[in-house]
Amino acid sequence: MLTPNERYASLVAIAGYLPITLTGSDYLELLPVKWRAINDYGIRIDYRTYDTPVLGPFRRQHSGLIGKRGLWEVHYDPYDLSQVFVRTPEGWITAPWTHRAMVTAPFADFTWRHARRLAEQAGRHKHEQATETEIARALDALLTRAEHGPDKAGARIAARTRTAAAAHRPELPAAADVDDKHASQADPAPAAQKAQVIPFGVFDADAEAERWL
């Protein structure tokens, strides 16, 4: 019996290695995964709600994966939390963050965590958790005004976020046919889904090295 790495090494020794650029579909497959239920309100990940009318037929449904207790496979990009990608039997479904119209710039996981701390510190009650809307406001303020304020940590977070936004990543595949199939059966998309969001990229080590040669 061979491990996957041992099998791969033996096949490379026999057949050789051909480097191939990752496609948008490959990119989606390699993203981190969360297993979530699809509820009436959508999908919840780390106090964020993602939803789209196309999820309609899958709400409160069993995914068919007994080993995952019927939860659905949700892929997300830690450097672009404005949307997630849900694997369904009919293809990928892109579900945007319901509050993304309130944020004028892309944001990463570390940006969200810092904005959440700011929102909770600014809350009226000490032990009361900030709402998703309050975090969205703090997030937008962090990304648009951090460089002008006294919050040095916020300024560093905002600068790091802008740097990540300049990285390159493969073009994501077009929405699956499932989007068109169910769009007419669902309610119109809320205004939050119509916002223009610039996606983050993946750090390209080779391209970065070229800059320093």
Side-chain angles (χ1 to χ4, degrees):
M1 298 295 291
L2 299 176
T3 68
N5 281 339
E6 290 171 340
R7 183 181 294 273
Y8 178 78
S10 64
L11 288 174
V12 168
I14 296 172
Y17 172 71
L18 178 63
I20 299 176
T21 303
L22 293 178
T23 65
S25 297
D26 296 329
Y27 175 80
L28 287 184
E29 294 287 352
L30 294 171
L31 289 176
V33 178
K34 297 279 189 182
W35 293 92
R36 291 291 186 271
I38 302 178
N39 295 298
D40 292 333
Y41 55 79
I43 298 168
R44 291 278 286 175
I45 297 178
D46 194 18
Y47 294 93
R48 294 182 305 276
T49 305
Y50 296 90
D51 194 22
T52 175
V54 188
L55 289 175
F58 307 102
R59 299 183 195 276
R60 303 177 68 180
Q61 299 298 313
H62 195 286
S63 68
L65 300 175
I66 305 298
K68 295 298 182 179
R69 296 176 290 119
L71 299 178
W72 295 83
E73 183 179 352
V74 182
H75 290 227
Y76 69 98
D77 185 346
Y79 294 98
D80 181 10
L81 299 180
S82 64
Q83 58 190 1
V84 295
F85 310 94
V86 187
R87 190 196 297 275
T88 73
E90 301 178 40
W92 290 102
I93 290 179
T94 302
W97 181 38
T98 56
H99 285 65
R100 75 178 187 180
M102 298 178 61
V103 181
T104 56
F107 63 97
D109 180 61
F110 55 84
T111 323
W112 170 265
R113 291 197 304 270
H114 187 74
R116 184 180 168 192
R117 284 194 296 269
L118 293 177
E120 291 176 347
Q121 290 170 5
R124 296 180 181 179
H125 307 288
K126 244 183 188 180
H127 303 291
E128 190 174 306
Q129 289 185 341
T131 66
E132 192 170 358
T133 301
E134 289 170 340
I135 300 175
R137 291 186 184 129
L139 181 61
D140 184 57
L142 171 65
L143 294 174
T144 56
R145 297 192 294 273
E147 64 270 21
H148 304 301
D151 180 12
K152 294 183 179 180
R156 288 194 298 270
I157 291 290
R160 184 180 170 193
T161 302
R162 289 192 296 270
T163 301
H168 169 73
R169 78 171 182 182
E171 182 179 353
L172 295 179
D177 292 340
V178 64
D179 291 356
D180 298 328
K181 180 176 180 180
H182 298 297
S184 59
Q185 304 172 5
D187 295 331
Q193 297 179 20
K194 300 177 183 178
Q196 181 67 29
V197 176
I198 303 173
F200 277 98
V202 173
F203 178 73
D204 188 333
D206 292 332
E208 183 67 17
E210 290 292 335
R211 295 175 52 194
W212 293 92
L213 293 178

